[in-house]
Amino acid sequence: MNCSISGEVPEEPVVSKKSGLLYEKRLIERHIADYGKCPVTGDPLTMDDIVPVQTGKIVKPRSLTAASIPGMLGMFQNEWDALMLSNFALEQQLHTARQELSHALYQHDAACRVIARLKKERDEARSLLALAERQAPLPTSAVVANVSTLSNGKRAAEDEDLGPGAKRVCPGVSESIIAELTECNAALSQQRKKRQIPPTLAPIDALERYTQLSSHPLHKTNKPGITSIDINLSKDIVATGGIDSNAVLFDRTSGEILSTLSGHSKKVTSVKFVAPNDVCLSGSADKTVRIWQGSEDGNYDCRHILKDHTAEVQAVTVHATNNYFVTASLDTTWCFYDLSSGLCLTQVEDPSNSMGYTSAAFHPDGLILGTGTTGATVRIWDVKSRGNVANFDGHTGAVTAISFSENGYFLATAAHDGVKLWDLRKLKNFRSFELYDQNTPTNSVDFDHSGSYLAIAGSDVRVYQVGSVKAEWNCIKTLPDLSGTGRATCVKFGPDAKYLGVGSMDRNLRIFGLPEDDASTES
């Protein structure tokens, strides 16, 4: 006999007087309390109509599945399967929770980076504001009271030095300076005759195995692009100039940024180290040149702001004495400066030349200056007389870069049509490299310090073994442009050509060299 509600054998059976149906007592009591009628017939029903049925106390029989060994094995198998399914569900939930935690941590890290960048930009804005306030013109009374005060890196009373046409009167290059330049030239020429290739120079087979070692995002993301690079060979510090109007000093050994030089209002077009004096020079499209002096705490402070040019400053080059430097501008002039005072000693303008200067470099001996122009001409100057002594024609487009070989005989120039090599003894072109298509200019050339290798940057970076006028200049290695922009804008050899620093139109400085394992084997 089974319960009419549950269908199972009742433990406390009761029967209805009206319908005669059998129920489990606890179930029918609950149903009558809730509905007051028979669950089967629907007739009214009360507990008075329920009669208990007396039964014998017997042991409840086992289910059929538990009555045999195969049945019990089946039960165990079912329980095991249920346990495995439950475990799988828990593992899925754990994986989902880990993913959500990883995403939350990534968002937190990104938020921290954004906050750090915003704080940095805020501090830069504050420093620029403070600098602008310091550079604001002083009242006339203040100028009279303190004539010697430096307001913007130049003399506060510079109005008194203005000549006809509202141009500053330059004191000129004195005989003592010319004697200093001549003495330096003689000493370097004598040393060059005895100079040998250093044994620590990277061999050709090492350059053939060069690969990218690291990439460092030094400049801002909203204005990416590195336009210039220089390396302090004694300290292994790299300087980069960017379109974001900053120059960045980077310690390659530690992989850390030493200082960010902020102050220019437009892109930085040229950076140069004056290594012995812990000085860095930066030229900019804002028509100014800044002299940055290093301090003991590692920071660099702007010591002078030079405003002698009236158009973009395209190049800065340092004389071998490390006491003087030259700037070249699109205003068709180049200026010769004294480093310690920041004073323009002479500003050279050739009336017969209407082309602006796009590049400049000193000869290793220091008495010859090479300048590239917007009109595809390379102009060679005698520094002592400031006279134009030779012109090299043959390029197409502006001359983007100039580099003299350390042997003093070769000059490499880059322009839209490629690279040309010039023999300074015979003043003629002896070799040309047309490496890229018509839409890809060659942006940079650089001889290493020993004069053994030449690096060229365009849509990629190529390294050549320096030959001679008659011997071939063989391409040792071609390094792809990994920035994805298709433009490597500048290239520079590290100490002993152990690595190459490359800047591109993204914000990253890339270092190419031997992997550490190979480098240790070579050494």
Side-chain angles (χ1 to χ4, degrees):
M1 302 282 294
N2 295 330
C3 172
S4 299
I5 295 176
S6 65
E8 295 182 356
V9 177
E11 294 180 357
E12 294 184 61
V14 294
V15 73
S16 172
K17 294 179 181 179
K18 293 184 177 181
S19 63
L21 296 173
L22 184 71
Y23 299 102
E24 177 71 56
K25 182 179 180 181
R26 59 183 174 82
L27 296 179
I28 194 64
E29 283 180 348
R30 185 177 298 175
H31 188 81
I32 291 174
D34 291 341
Y35 303 104
K37 59 183 180 180
C38 177
V40 178
T41 63
D43 297 332
L45 191 67
T46 64
M47 288 304 297
D48 295 335
D49 299 326
I50 299 300
V51 178
V53 178
Q54 298 297 324
T55 61
K57 298 296 183 181
I58 61 174
V59 179
K60 188 175 181 180
R62 292 182 179 179
S63 62
L64 293 177
T65 55
S68 64
I69 291 178
M72 294 178 69
L73 290 176
M75 288 174 57
F76 294 153
Q77 181 67 46
N78 293 336
E79 291 181 3
W80 173 261
D81 293 343
L83 179 62
M84 290 299 101
L85 291 174
S86 175
N87 185 59
F88 177 72
L90 288 175
E91 288 183 349
Q92 281 188 318
Q93 292 175 0
L94 176 61
H95 180 67
T96 303
R98 283 178 173 173
Q99 284 185 323
E100 292 175 352
L101 177 61
S102 175
H103 183 65
L105 291 175
Y106 176 78
Q107 287 183 324
H108 177 267
D109 183 56
C112 291
R113 287 199 301 270
V114 170
I115 292 172
R117 179 173 59 82
L118 291 176
K119 284 184 177 179
K120 182 180 178 182
E121 292 181 355
R122 178 202 64 187
D123 294 341
E124 291 176 354
R126 286 178 176 175
S127 63
L128 289 176
L129 180 60
L131 184 63
E133 290 175 351
R134 290 198 300 269
Q135 293 179 358
L138 296 175
T140 305
S141 58
V143 174
V144 174
N146 190 13
V147 172
S148 63
T149 299
L150 290 178
S151 61
N152 62 350
K154 298 172 72 176
R155 297 177 181 177
E158 65 181 353
D159 297 350
E160 300 175 1
D161 296 333
L162 296 180
K167 289 188 177 181
R168 285 189 61 193
V169 177
C170 299
V173 181
S174 64
E175 292 297 327
S176 61
I177 295 176
I178 292 178
E180 181 183 1
L181 301 181
T182 304
E183 183 180 350
C184 176
N185 171 266
L188 292 176
S189 298
Q190 187 66 26
Q191 293 175 10
R192 182 167 292 105
K193 295 178 181 178
K194 302 177 182 179
R195 180 174 298 175
Q196 296 180 350
I197 296 177
T200 55
L201 182 70
I204 295 177
D205 60 339
L207 270 76
E208 291 175 345
R209 302 199 304 273
Y210 275 10
T211 184
Q212 179 173 312
L213 300 180
S214 57
S215 177
H216 309 279
L218 304 184
H219 293 269
K220 296 180 181 178
T221 55
N222 57 344
K223 292 182 178 180
I226 296 177
T227 58
S228 178
I229 186 173
D230 194 29
I231 298 178
N232 185 332
L233 299 179
S234 61
K235 296 184 178 180
D236 208 2
I237 297 175
V238 183
T240 61
I243 293 179
D244 61 359
S245 74
N246 291 333
V248 178
L249 303 185
F250 175 77
D251 187 340
R252 190 194 70 88
T253 305
S254 65
E256 295 180 352
I257 294 177
L258 299 179
S259 184
T260 298
L261 311 182
S262 302
H264 287 292
S265 59
K266 294 183 179 180
K267 66 180 180 180
V268 176
T269 56
S270 182
V271 288
K272 281 290 183 292
F273 278 112
V274 187
N277 303 327
D278 201 15
V279 170
C280 183
L281 308 175
S282 62
S284 170
D286 63 5
K287 309 175 188 178
T288 68
V289 177
R290 291 179 179 247
I291 302 177
W292 306 87
Q293 177 67 59
S295 56
E296 294 181 356
D297 59 1
N299 293 321
Y300 281 71
D301 300 318
C302 182
R303 196 175 71 189
H304 296 289
I305 303 177
L306 313 177
K307 299 183 177 180
D308 296 284
H309 288 291
T310 58
E312 291 187 14
V313 178
Q314 291 285 297
V316 179
T317 180
V318 181
H319 190 268
T321 58
N322 291 312
N323 295 328
Y324 310 98
F325 66 95
V326 161
T327 62
S329 169
L330 293 178
D331 64 3
T332 71
T333 68
W334 58 268
C335 294
F336 186 88
Y337 286 94
D338 174 65
L339 179 65
S340 59
S341 65
L343 181 64
C344 178
L345 300 178
T346 182
Q347 186 168 11
V348 179
E349 181 177 9
D350 186 354
S352 63
N353 173 44
S354 61
M355 299 176 289
Y357 297 112
T358 53
S359 55
F362 271 112
H363 186 275
D365 292 341
L367 288 186
I368 294 176
L369 175 71
T371 57
T373 67
T374 57
T377 300
V378 180
R379 299 168 68 84
I380 306 298
W381 303 81
D382 178 4
V383 176
K384 292 192 294 184
S385 66
R386 279 82 65 198
N388 179 211
V389 294
N391 292 320
F392 296 148
D393 297 313
H395 272 301
T396 300
V399 180
T400 54
I402 286 179
S403 181
F404 286 95
S405 172
E406 187 61 24
N407 64 14
Y409 300 146
F410 301 139
L411 169 65
T413 58
H416 192 89
D417 57 345
V419 174
K420 292 185 180 295
L421 301 176
W422 309 86
D423 184 352
L424 297 177
R425 294 164 294 186
K426 298 182 179 180
L427 300 180
K428 68 175 185 178
N429 169 232
F430 67 89
R431 185 166 277 101
S432 299
F433 299 117
E434 296 179 0
L435 306 176
Y436 310 113
D437 57 48
Q438 296 181 351
N439 298 322
T440 306
T442 307
N443 299 310
S444 180
V445 288
D446 181 57
F447 282 101
D448 79 297
H449 189 62
S450 70
S452 301
Y453 304 115
L454 174 69
I456 301 173
S459 61
D460 55 25
V461 176
R462 306 189 187 193
V463 181
Y464 285 80
Q465 180 186 10
V466 173
S468 63
V469 174
K470 296 182 179 179
E472 286 297 322
W473 295 51
N474 298 318
C475 182
I476 302 172
K477 182 69 174 179
T478 299
L479 301 168
D481 173 39
L482 300 178
S483 68
T485 62
R487 286 186 62 189
T489 54
C490 47
V491 62
K492 192 73 177 179
F493 279 103
D496 291 326
K498 297 293 187 183
Y499 66 88
L500 274 171
V502 178
S504 301
M505 284 309 293
D506 63 349
R507 65 193 186 108
N508 294 297
L509 166 68
R510 289 177 169 80
I511 303 297
F512 292 87
L514 277 180
E516 293 184 1
D517 296 340
D518 293 346
S520 60
T521 303
E522 289 291 336
S523 60

